[in-house]
Amino acid sequence: MKKLISFMLASLMVVLSACGNNASGGEGGAAEGPKDLVVALGSEPISLDPQDASDGISLHATELIFDKLVTFDKDMKIVPELAKEWSSSEDGKAWTFTLVEGAKFQDGTPVNAEAVKASFDRILDKNNKLKRRSLFADFIDNVSMDSEYKVTFHLKFPYAPILATLAHPNGGIHSPKNAAEKGKGVSKAPVGSGPYKFKEWISGEKLVLEANPDYWGEKPKLKSITIKPVVENAARTLMLETGEADVILPVPATDIERLKNSDQVAVNMYPSNRNLYMGMNTQKAPFDNVKVRQALNYAVDKETIVKKIMMGNAKPTQAAISELTWGFSPVGTYEYNPEKAKQLLAEAGVKPGTTIKLWTPEGRYLMDRQLSEFVQANLQAVGFQVEFRKWEWGAYQDAIDDPKSGYDLFLLSWAVPTNDADWGLRPNFSSDGTNNRTLFANAELDSLVDKGMKTTNEEERKKIYAEALKIIKEEAPWIFLVEMNQFIGVRKNVEGVYGSNTERLILREAVKK
């Protein structure tokens, strides 16, 4: 009996000791070490090559894997990253960057001037056919090494937003060793110098990034970050509420107010420079007629979209770029006027019952499918027969990248990661723009966009972009919809997660307690 009592007391002491340790560490306390963060997004990345990625979901991930020369801080100010200092020549056509010393890529190779040059040579080479080539190739002539840790960018002309453009996530620096070995395969097996490194990617299920223990900067506070694609709004919300996910994006508009009352979850709103729009194939009848494009703008009730679908969490766009983007000027929205829309359609010779196709992703943007269904109803109300199709994000991107796929109308958005009008307008509205899926072409606008990126005087640039925005509104290659806010759902035991004005989901400082 004495032995039995002694055994029971000893067992009780072990249990109490364990409970005490847990109480001191809290839920997921520091005693247990760094944790895994689970992030549920509305879709999955398409590419982990920052130089070949054109979608925001991919860039959420690449910003964890790759460092850039410079970056934006929380206040959208340019701050050092791999470059500790920089200077420009008197004529503004040469920019020299001095690199931090001792930084390494995740494969152990050094981050030096040779690596920076190799990374930019890769994207400047037109034979590589990388999606973000024009972001840099339009203004960079070449890159030279001055010393082991000093590199100079030689420009074709003085380019005002050079630092903002280098801070774009597409400016991530590759390991030259990995890029040479993998070629295009780096999109599935990337190596950068960032705080998290690639571990595995099971398409449709999860992307796992693990902490880089040899990171040259502030050490990551998590063991790993797992990104899961969850298309269904209700499923994403449930994962957050049950703790299956620590972070979700986007938060469904219908769930925002309810989640705000939770003692386990926080919903944080961040202003975004993302505009949501419905693009039109302007090379295809009837959208090759400007009256038809204007009619579609009059046909859509933006105020009801804001109030009923977005639940007040957006506002009608006042221009083709957001008011948060440098170079914005308000040119106004098209009023909701279905009778005006019918009049313009009649003048353009469009017969009632004309069939058009409307495509949308589901889960990529806040209430995207619901918004597209509302637009479908608006267009049917002015006489169109609208064929509706929803897509998985990756397949959707491929389809709208190919004009031969047969799209008429497509829901998409554009955030401006440089926060400068140049990259708001040049890719979308220049006749050779890399994101010009509307196939819109206007010689006067091309001239203004070209002039805007070659002008360094800020006041002159603003006037140029104001004129460009007026032309875009009048020509209406988009149905201009709403300017969005970004809502991020976060478990309350997670800190250091935030959104930027350029609508990046910033996870580098995240910690889970």
Side-chain angles (χ1 to χ4, degrees), residues 49-328:
D49 177 355
Q51 298 179 343
D52 203 31
S54 59
D55 67 296
I57 296 289
S58 294
L59 299 180
H60 293 331
T62 62
E63 287 233 276
L64 293 164
I65 302 168
F66 292 88
D67 289 322
K68 308 176 292 293
L69 289 173
V70 295
T71 193
F72 291 109
D73 67 9
K74 289 182 179 180
D75 299 317
M76 295 304 298
K77 294 178 181 177
I78 301 289
V79 294
E81 198 157 89
L82 287 173
K84 63 182 181 180
E85 59 186 25
W86 51 86
S87 61
S88 68
S89 61
E90 190 171 334
D91 64 2
K93 293 178 65 176
W95 283 73
T96 299
F97 296 85
T98 303
L99 308 179
V100 297
E101 298 184 20
K104 293 184 181 297
F105 291 105
Q106 293 143 6
D107 57 9
T109 57
V111 178
N112 52 24
E114 182 180 4
V116 173
K117 174 176 167 54
S119 195
F120 279 92
D121 283 351
R122 176 178 182 265
I123 196 169
L124 294 176
D125 185 347
K126 64 182 179 181
N127 294 319
N128 290 329
K129 298 179 180 179
L130 298 173
K131 289 181 179 179
R132 282 296 173 249
R133 178 177 180 271
S134 70
L135 175 62
F136 302 104
D138 283 357
F139 70 92
I140 298 175
D141 186 31
N142 65 82
V143 181
S144 67
M145 295 181 294
D146 301 336
S147 65
E148 185 176 4
Y149 293 105
K150 191 169 285 190
V151 61
T152 295
F153 286 69
H154 303 277
L155 310 187
K156 297 175 181 178
F157 47 83
Y159 179 64
I162 178 173
L163 292 177
T165 303
L166 292 174
H168 190 300
N170 293 144
I173 309 297
H174 279 277
S175 156
K177 177 176 180 291
N178 187 63
E181 290 175 354
K182 300 285 183 8
K184 278 281 191 178
V186 299
S187 66
K188 300 293 183 183
V191 174
S193 62
Y196 291 89
K197 57 183 181 179
F198 175 79
K199 183 178 181 182
E200 67 172 335
W201 187 359
I202 303 173
S203 184
E205 183 180 335
K206 63 180 179 179
L207 165 66
V208 181
L209 308 177
E210 60 184 356
N212 174 12
D214 301 318
Y215 184 54
W216 62 273
E218 184 177 350
K219 303 302 181 188
K221 300 179 180 69
L222 297 166
K223 181 181 179 182
S224 62
I225 296 176
T226 299
I227 297 173
K228 296 184 176 183
V230 183
V231 173
E232 289 293 332
N233 284 334
R236 259 193 330 275
T237 299
L238 183 62
M239 288 175 69
L240 182 67
E241 291 180 293
T242 61
E244 185 180 350
D246 302 296
V247 180
I248 68 168
L249 178 70
V251 179
T254 51
D255 294 336
I256 290 172
E257 290 306 315
R258 179 173 60 80
L259 290 175
K260 284 182 178 179
N261 294 322
S262 169
D263 59 357
Q264 298 293 321
V265 170
V267 177
N268 301 317
M269 187 277 284
Y270 300 91
S272 162
N273 70 11
R274 182 176 295 279
N275 277 353
L276 197 63
Y277 66 89
M278 190 75 70
M280 298 176 242
N281 187 338
T282 64
Q283 297 298 309
K284 189 175 182 182
F287 311 106
D288 55 349
N289 188 320
V290 68
K291 287 188 176 182
V292 174
R293 301 197 298 268
Q294 291 173 346
L296 267 62
N297 273 281
Y298 284 117
V300 176
D301 184 355
K302 275 77 72 175
E303 292 290 348
T304 297
I305 289 174
V306 169
K307 293 174 183 176
K308 301 295 185 182
I309 297 176
M310 297 298 191
M311 311 292 285
N313 297 306
K315 57 186 176 182
T317 57
Q318 296 295 318
I321 55 175
S322 160
E323 65 178 312
L324 295 176
T325 301
W326 188 94
F328 165 86

Side-chain angles (χ1 to χ4, degrees), residues 157 292 350 355 366 394 450 487:
F157 47 83
V292 174
V350 177
T355 298
L366 182 67
D450 185 68
F487 289 88

Side-chain angles (χ1 to χ4, degrees), residues 367-475:
M367 310 304 286
D368 46 14
R369 175 183 57 78
Q370 294 88 340
L371 185 152
S372 294
E373 288 172 342
F374 182 81
V375 172
Q376 176 192 24
N378 280 175
L379 298 183
Q380 290 185 157
V382 297
F384 286 105
Q385 180 64 37
V386 183
E387 294 180 356
F388 185 88
R389 181 177 179 181
K390 63 180 182 180
W391 293 71
E392 177 275 326
W393 178 241
Y396 185 66
Q397 284 267 293
D398 290 340
I400 61 177
D401 278 345
D402 180 10
K404 296 179 181 178
S405 62
Y407 61 79
D408 291 337
L409 300 173
F410 56 93
L411 183 72
L412 207 60
S413 75
W414 190 255
V416 186
T418 64
N419 215 38
D420 186 279
D422 170 59
W423 198 241
L425 303 186
R426 182 156 52 98
N428 291 301
F429 301 105
S430 293
S431 56
D432 59 352
T434 55
N435 202 64
N436 186 356
R437 297 181 175 95
T438 65
L439 308 179
F440 175 69
N442 179 288
E444 184 181 1
L445 183 63
D446 281 349
S447 177
L448 287 168
V449 171
D450 185 68
K451 187 177 178 182
M453 75 171 176
K454 295 177 178 178
T455 301
T456 55
N457 181 282
E458 287 195 354
E459 291 307 311
E460 287 184 30
R461 287 190 79 214
K462 287 179 181 178
K463 291 177 183 177
I464 291 167
Y465 290 126
E467 186 62 31
L469 291 170
K470 289 177 184 176
I471 293 173
I472 293 167
K473 181 192 175 183
E474 181 70 20
E475 291 292 321

